[in-house]
Amino acid sequence: MLQGSTIIAVSLAYLGLLFAIAHVGDKGADRGRSLIANPTIYALSLAVYCTTWTFYGSVGRAAATGIGFLPIYLGPTMIAALWWWVLVKMIRIAKANRITSIADFVASRYGKSQLLGGLVTVIAVIGIVPYISLQLKAVSSSFNILLGYPDIIMPSRAGNLPIWRDTSLLIALAMAAFTIVFGTRHLDATERHEGMVAAIAFESIVKLVAFSAVGLWVTFGMFDGFADIFDRAAAIPDLARLMQVSNTASSYGSWASLTLLSMLSVMFLPRQFQIAVVENVDENHVRRAIWLFPLYLLLINIFVLPIALGGLMHFSAGGVDADTFVLTLPMAQQQEGLVLLVFIGGLSAATGMVIVETIALSTMVCNDLVMPLLLRSNWFRLQNRTDLSGVLLGIRRGAIVVILLLGYSYFRAAGEAYALVGIGLISFAAVAQFAPVIFGGMYWKGG
């Protein structure tokens, strides 16, 4: 029987394991024995792209649009083929100019404009807050569903609960504390966090194993393989249409726009820039990422449609949110071990995104917004200090808390009104605005 105390204890143990991996990675870097000087770890760390949107939301989208979930992964697969020319150039520029964030990158290409760097930071924070709320929604919903085990009860709308009873607030505060301990223990002039990258690569394996385990169990445990699932679904008209692409202009337009958005987002989301560019230790690692990252996307998406179809057939009476099928299907069959593995996989997907994203955003907020204002002010007299490390760490830690509370506020206000994928698309559209100015700065000499 899954109890709340058991779920919390396993979650804390898993987070402790992540911290241990990060600690080993940092210690190795201090001794000159880099744990992440490996192209496979670099490629796996790029899979921080796969958040709870992938782990839970892709199944929800597949249940509504069928294979319409694919463009979010086709875009990154297509752009990966160009990484040796595009991503490697970004890495070389970043290393030559000691760039530490996407805001720094943009500002450096246009006369080191502090105004432009600050503008990019503001857009990034506003655009990423909905994505952070997505992670809070997914983790809090899955936790609340598990509390009802073995019954499957959809959680109440967060906006209707008093704040002191809202588990998403506790999760937001816990993630803020974990991120502060995890990523702001010390300052590094290069803004690299080798231990964090090692932990993110490990998390990528965990969420792939967890999602694949559910997919295999649904496909070959609940059903008799792929052919059985698709044959049964084809016999139901409402499900048969999910396996086809609508032959309409709007359908093709949707595929094209989502593919383009995802191509840009895998490059320009702050966390992707942090992992792919800032944390890169050897540009030759990109060679393996060019094929291994698309392979990862393929593997984690093989079972999306079978799980979606299996959930729709099993819960044909409705009442169960399709975003939760990855969790509720094994719950319905009382597969306790698998249920717990799924929860840890979802937690991995969420914490990986939150850690890297908030570290990247807090660096941008500190370097491009707060510190320029403080240095101009005579009130704080920072110009007279020889050591600003304590001030910098304090600003970044405060920024992490504020960003996560903004994500929680968005979740309370609007998060329950949208599916997971819908929330994520808001952030994709926001960071796509960086594409013209970044590509212009890279290839337009007169920019």
Side-chain angles (χ1 to χ4, degrees):
M1 193 74 168
L2 289 176
Q3 302 289 337
S5 57
T6 302
I7 300 167
I8 292 173
V10 172
S11 300
L12 291 176
Y14 177 71
L15 294 177
L17 176 61
L18 291 182
F19 188 83
I21 293 171
H23 181 71
V24 171
D26 285 337
K27 288 296 183 183
D30 293 340
R31 294 194 298 267
R33 301 174 60 184
S34 176
L35 188 64
I36 67 170
N38 182 296
T40 299
I41 291 179
Y42 175 72
L44 286 173
S45 67
L46 290 173
V48 72
Y49 177 80
C50 299
T51 65
T52 54
W53 174 340
T54 298
F55 199 85
Y56 293 116
S58 288
V59 172
R61 184 168 180 83
T65 65
I67 56 177
F69 76 94
L70 285 174
I72 304 301
Y73 308 98
L74 289 176
T77 300
M78 293 167 63
I79 196 67
L82 303 175
W83 275 355
W84 188 249
W85 295 276
V86 179
L87 181 56
V88 169
K89 185 176 180 67
M90 292 174 68
I91 291 171
R92 289 173 178 171
I93 292 171
K95 289 182 178 180
N97 295 275
R98 301 182 70 181
I99 285 167
T100 58
S101 70
I102 194 167
D104 197 13
F105 188 93
V106 172
S108 70
R109 307 309 290 168
Y110 295 90
K112 296 185 178 179
S113 169
Q114 287 187 348
L115 178 62
L116 192 55
L119 180 60
V120 170
T121 300
V122 171
I123 293 173
V125 171
I126 294 173
I128 298 303
V129 160
Y131 213 156
I132 292 174
S133 80
L134 185 158
Q135 315 308 313
L136 299 178
K137 175 181 179 178
V139 175
S140 64
S141 295
S142 58
F143 178 75
N144 288 330
I145 290 171
L146 279 186
L147 290 180
Y149 184 87
D151 298 324
I152 298 175
I153 304 170
M154 293 296 101
S156 302
R157 190 181 189 281
N160 296 330
L161 292 173
I163 288 181
W164 58 87
R165 289 184 53 202
D166 190 357
T167 56
S168 57
L169 176 59
L170 297 177
I171 290 170
L173 294 174
M175 284 190 173
F178 185 67
T179 304
I180 288 171
V181 174
F182 199 90
T184 59
R185 287 171 290 170
H186 53 78
L187 288 174
D188 186 284
T190 63
E191 298 297 352
R192 282 172 49 194
H193 309 78
E194 295 205 5
M196 177 192 73
V197 175
I200 296 302
F202 175 76
E203 284 195 306
S204 295
I205 296 173
V206 171
K207 60 193 177 190
L208 177 61
V209 169
F211 194 88
S212 299
V214 178
L216 287 168
W217 177 79
V218 170
T219 305
F220 299 100
M222 292 182 65
F223 298 89
D224 292 328
F226 291 100
D228 182 38
I229 291 179
F230 293 136
D231 287 344
R232 292 194 194 188
I236 304 172
D238 287 342
L239 300 186
R241 65 177 177 80
L242 297 178
M243 294 180 282
Q244 305 169 0
V245 178
S246 300
N247 190 21
T248 63
S250 62
S251 176
Y252 292 129
S254 175
W255 273 63
S257 60
L258 290 176
T259 300
L260 178 61
L261 280 179
S262 59
M263 288 176 69
L264 299 176
S265 297
V266 78
M267 298 285 291
F268 303 137
L269 282 164
R271 71 175 184 277
Q272 297 300 137
F273 186 90
Q274 178 75 28
I275 290 292
V277 178
V278 178
E279 303 288 352
N280 179 273
V281 297
D282 186 343
E283 66 180 42
N284 288 314
H285 290 176
V286 176
R287 294 183 184 275
R288 184 166 299 178
I290 287 173
W291 63 266
L292 186 54
F293 177 61
L295 176 61
Y296 184 97
L297 296 181
L298 172 65
L299 293 176
I300 205 168
N301 281 290
I302 286 176
F303 294 107
V304 168
L305 195 55
I307 293 173
L309 295 174
L312 290 172
M313 286 186 281
H314 187 82
F315 300 115
S316 57
V320 176
D321 187 348
D323 281 339
T324 70
F325 282 171
V326 177
L327 184 67
T328 51
L329 278 172
M331 280 183 67
Q333 302 296 317
Q334 298 189 17
Q335 300 288 320
E336 293 186 7
L338 186 57
V339 168
L340 202 54
L341 178 61
V342 169
F343 179 75
I344 293 300
L347 185 64
S348 290
T351 54
M353 180 273 182
V354 169
I355 289 169
V356 183
E357 202 79 85
T358 52
I359 287 175
L361 289 177
S362 66
T363 300
M364 292 162 64
V365 168
C366 178
N367 295 353
D368 296 282
L369 282 183
V370 180
M371 283 304 295
L373 294 175
L374 293 181
L375 289 172
R376 288 197 186 101
S377 172
N378 293 324
W379 182 269
F380 298 96
R381 300 185 183 278
L382 295 185
Q383 302 91 336
N384 301 327
R385 296 194 187 185
T386 57
D387 184 5
L388 294 175
S389 58
V391 175
L392 292 171
L393 283 174
I395 293 171
R396 293 182 185 186
R397 289 166 180 168
I400 287 170
V401 174
V402 170
I403 290 167
L404 276 162
L405 288 178
L406 285 174
Y408 169 73
S409 300
Y410 184 93
F411 170 59
R412 288 277 299 190
E416 290 290 344
Y418 303 97
L420 295 179
V421 169
I423 297 174
L425 286 176
I426 298 172
S427 298
F428 272 33
V431 298
Q433 313 307 311
F434 299 150
V437 71
I438 290 178
F439 287 136
M442 289 172 61
Y443 297 105
W444 179 26
K445 292 184 179 180

